[in-house]
Amino acid sequence: MKLAVHKLIAFLLCTAIFTGSVFLFSSTAVAEGETENVEETEQAEGNEKTSNINIAAPSAILIEASTGQTIYEKDAQVRRSPASITKIMTLLLIFDHLQAGKIHLTDEVMTSAHAKSMGGSQVFLEEGEVQTVDTLIKCIAVASGNDASVAMAEHIAGAEEEFVAMMNEKAESLGMVDTHFEDCCGLTNSDNHYTTAKDVALMSRALITQYPEIYQYTKIWMEDITHTTQKGSSQFTLSSTNKLLKQYPYTTGLKTGSTDKAKYCLSATANKDGIDLVAVVMAAPDYKVRFQDAMTLLNFGFSVSSLYTDENKERLEARKVTGGVSEEAEIVYKEAFRYLDVEGNDINQIQKELRLPEEVEAPVREGDIAGKAVYTLHGREIGSVDILFSESVEKATYRDYVKKVFTLYF
């Protein structure tokens, strides 16, 4: 009898364990399946936003300028001939030299025979003609003058070849890994003169964020310049090649380009509600398509983008310093913080937390990292900014301690 009872109990226990295991396995499988479905759903929603965009050009990209965040891309890393959007790099180097004081807007530049010989888009500079740097920037930015580009390249570097070497060095420093230039204007048909939509966005971003004064030129629709040569003086009207200035109300720039090899290219910049976008279109089949594609990208970008900005200008409380000649050290934010949301979140819910030690040990050096400001949205970290010491505090010596005691009591 006892044996029968024991067998019955054992059978019931085994049945319970087996049933529980099956239930646990089934529950786990369902839970895992639900997780996968949630991830797939989120990914599908993200893809659905961009799949509705109809871009005819084979390569395109859309970025937000202050953060550099990519909002949309289509074969953006395929190498293509850039035509005159090459001049974005030419303009970037011109402004680098202006900032460094190596050239000035009022400097006079003489046109060489080589510069005059350029075909394609030109402003018809004559050999020996003198124009200011300011005027030549207008000729490049507004009318896409190949002759003006070469004249500036020679003025800065002595020869176009030397200037092109500088362009390639600058491209490398910007992380433009799929770019190589062979001239300063994009007129060449060489297979060794190439870039990508992504790289064009990188140099466009560098130009407009470092030198927003470029907009003073790229927003010009028409303007007259004066040719003064041995033949006398004559007026010449610069007409912008960027038709978006008339077609799209938020346009700020930037550069068009077209050759038989490159087809139709455009790097378009626009600003709305404080958001700067860069839309790059390459190898569009005709000039109308490149402008339509750019407007499609810009409209999409503005419709999904919310930009959170914290300038970090408020004064921070000094940190206590132990063992130093001073008892505290001032600290500052390294930079402003910007976050681009394209998922419809309420950016007003972003929170900032300062993570700083109560005190630090001397010595500390100006520029050393003291801590950081961490930003979160719905509990998820979205970025941070370093907090730096804005002054140095040396380690105290015996003489410093004696001086402190003397000052305290006498």
Side-chain angles (χ1 to χ4, degrees):
M1 183 68 179
K2 290 182 179 180
L3 182 60
V5 171
H6 288 164
K7 285 183 177 181
L8 177 61
I9 293 172
F11 173 76
L12 292 174
L13 284 174
C14 290
T15 302
I17 291 171
F18 175 76
T19 304
S21 299
V22 170
F23 175 76
L24 179 61
F25 174 79
S26 300
S27 300
T28 303
V30 170
E32 288 177 351
E34 288 175 351
T35 301
E36 289 174 1
N37 289 337
V38 168
E39 291 174 352
E40 289 173 0
T41 300
E42 290 177 348
Q43 185 177 2
E45 288 174 352
N47 292 337
E48 185 179 357
K49 289 181 180 179
T50 56
S51 64
N52 293 330
I53 303 176
N54 183 20
I55 301 298
S59 289
I61 193 169
L62 175 69
I63 69 166
E64 193 279 319
S66 68
T67 60
Q69 183 173 327
T70 299
I71 303 171
Y72 170 89
E73 60 181 318
K74 174 185 177 182
D75 289 336
Q77 298 186 63
V78 175
R79 292 179 178 181
R80 299 187 183 278
S81 177
S84 283
I85 54 176
T86 295
K87 297 184 178 80
I88 296 169
M89 180 60 78
T90 299
L91 288 166
L92 181 55
L93 286 178
I94 290 172
F95 279 92
D96 278 349
H97 281 72
L98 284 168
Q99 184 185 57
K102 295 179 180 179
I103 61 173
H104 305 85
L105 290 174
T106 55
D107 289 350
E108 293 185 334
V109 180
M110 182 176 290
T111 304
S112 69
H114 175 55
K116 178 188 181 302
S117 70
M118 293 296 106
S121 300
Q122 54 188 308
V123 294
F124 303 100
L125 298 172
E126 292 291 334
E127 182 179 357
E129 180 179 344
V130 174
Q131 296 285 359
T132 64
V133 168
D134 181 58
T135 297
L136 291 177
I137 293 174
K138 291 176 186 176
C139 293
I140 298 168
V142 179
S144 195
N146 295 322
D147 45 1
S149 297
V150 174
M152 279 304 306
E154 292 175 337
H155 179 68
I156 289 173
E160 184 183 8
E161 293 79 7
E162 294 300 318
F163 187 82
V164 172
M166 295 167 60
M167 293 171 67
N168 287 317
E169 289 176 8
K170 185 71 174 182
E172 184 177 357
S173 72
L174 292 174
M176 297 167 61
V177 296
D178 289 301
T179 295
H180 186 266
F181 298 112
E182 288 209 330
D183 69 17
C184 67
C185 58
L187 191 60
T188 181
N189 281 321
S190 170
D191 289 336
N192 207 31
H193 185 91
Y194 57 82
T195 187
T196 65
K198 179 180 178 180
D199 283 359
V200 172
L202 286 174
M203 65 177 175
S204 299
R205 181 195 179 206
L207 179 59
I208 66 174
T209 57
Q210 295 175 33
Y211 307 111
E213 57 268 34
I214 186 62
Y215 294 141
Q216 298 172 17
Y217 301 92
T218 57
K219 288 182 179 181
I220 296 173
W221 177 245
M222 282 188 177
E223 186 168 316
D224 289 342
I225 64 169
T226 302
H227 286 301
T228 301
T229 67
Q230 293 179 348
K231 301 175 184 178
S233 296
S234 61
Q235 295 294 110
F236 181 83
T237 301
L238 303 176
S239 298
S240 179
T241 59
N242 187 3
K243 306 310 176 188
L244 286 186
L245 288 171
K246 292 295 185 182
Q247 297 175 3
Y248 195 70
Y250 311 113
T251 301
T252 55
L254 183 63
K255 193 72 198 71
T256 62
S258 63
T259 62
D260 290 340
K261 183 180 181 65
K263 298 184 180 178
Y264 293 88
C265 304
L266 172 66
S267 178
T269 58
N271 176 280
K272 181 184 179 185
D273 299 329
I275 297 176
D276 285 298
L277 298 182
V278 179
V280 179
V281 175
M282 298 192 73
D286 63 62
Y287 75 95
K288 290 183 180 179
V289 167
R290 68 177 169 188
F291 293 126
Q292 185 57 55
D293 280 353
M295 286 190 286
T296 298
L297 288 169
L298 293 169
N299 281 332
F300 171 74
F302 286 129
S303 72
V304 300
S305 296
S306 296
L307 183 64
Y308 174 87
T309 302
D310 185 355
E311 295 297 339
N312 286 326
K313 298 294 186 183
E314 74 268 19
R315 183 173 181 179
L316 296 171
E317 184 179 349
R319 294 294 92 187
K320 293 180 180 179
V321 179
T322 60
V325 295
S326 297
E327 294 183 355
E328 60 182 24
E330 296 291 335
I331 56 175
V332 294
Y333 293 103
K334 181 181 180 181
E335 58 195 354
F337 175 77
R338 290 178 175 81
Y339 172 75
L340 184 73
D341 181 81
V342 294
E343 298 174 355
N345 291 304
D346 181 3
I347 59 174
N348 292 318
Q349 299 301 312
I350 293 176
Q351 297 182 330
K352 176 168 70 172
E353 177 191 357
L354 301 186
R355 297 180 183 175
L356 292 161
E358 286 296 323
E359 59 183 39
V360 293
E361 188 80 23
V364 297
R365 297 282 178 261
E366 180 180 356
D368 284 352
I369 296 176
K372 62 180 179 178
V374 177
Y375 295 84
T376 57
L377 178 59
H378 303 314
R380 177 175 61 90
E381 185 173 330
I382 58 173
S384 64
V385 171
D386 285 337
I387 297 174
L388 310 177
F389 287 106
S390 59
E391 60 181 339
S392 298
V393 176
E394 299 294 337
K395 190 174 181 65
T397 63
Y398 174 77
R399 181 177 295 181
D400 294 314
Y401 287 116
V402 171
K403 184 178 179 181
K404 284 184 179 182
V405 172
F406 184 83
T407 301
L408 182 64
Y409 290 100
F410 298 100

